[in-house]
Amino acid sequence: RKGKWSDEVQWMKVGGSDICLPKDLTKPLDGPRFFAVVHFIGGVFVGSIPKVAYQPFLEALVAKSRVVVVATPCSGLSGMDHYKAAYEAAFKFKTACDLLKVD
């Protein structure tokens, strides 16, 4: 589904996470062309599909605030193993950030 801000952002899949960034960036983690990296994890019901569930919100955040969003699916939130869920989310986020830094 295409939101109001879809023309101003681009999505890429990196390290198991969906990355949303302003279209005019050639390398997401290069220089001061953005203000922050936001790690977004969906809740227990839509944790496995944060891009689909929150796409309009995430695109508006990126387009208006000049941030890069790493939307990490986290399937472990539905169980009681919170350590596993946290580890999974942190691992995917670190993998995405490491891959974005590579030339």
Side-chain angles (χ1 to χ4, degrees), residues 10-61:
Q10 63 185 12
W11 286 92
M12 59 193 314
K13 189 85 163 172
V14 177
S17 296
D18 292 303
I19 314 298
C20 185
L21 55 141
K23 268 192 178 170
D24 60 346
L25 294 180
T26 57
K27 194 165 68 165
L29 298 179
D30 182 27
R33 293 179 282 176
F34 62 92
F35 295 104
V37 176
V38 175
H39 189 199
F40 187 86
I41 304 171
V44 68
F45 298 111
V46 291
S48 61
I49 53 168
K51 177 187 173 189
V52 174
Y54 299 101
Q55 186 171 354
F57 167 71
L58 297 175
E59 289 179 352
L61 181 66

Side-chain angles (χ1 to χ4, degrees), residues 84-101:
K84 179 183 173 189
Y87 180 83
E88 175 189 346
F91 180 79
K92 287 180 181 177
F93 179 70
K94 182 179 179 336
T95 301
C97 287
D98 288 348
L99 290 172
L100 287 170
K101 290 179 187 177

Side-chain angles (χ1 to χ4, degrees), residues 56-71:
F57 167 71
L58 297 175
E59 289 179 352
L61 181 66
V62 169
K64 295 170 100 176
S65 303
R66 303 290 299 162
V67 299
V68 173
V69 171
V70 178

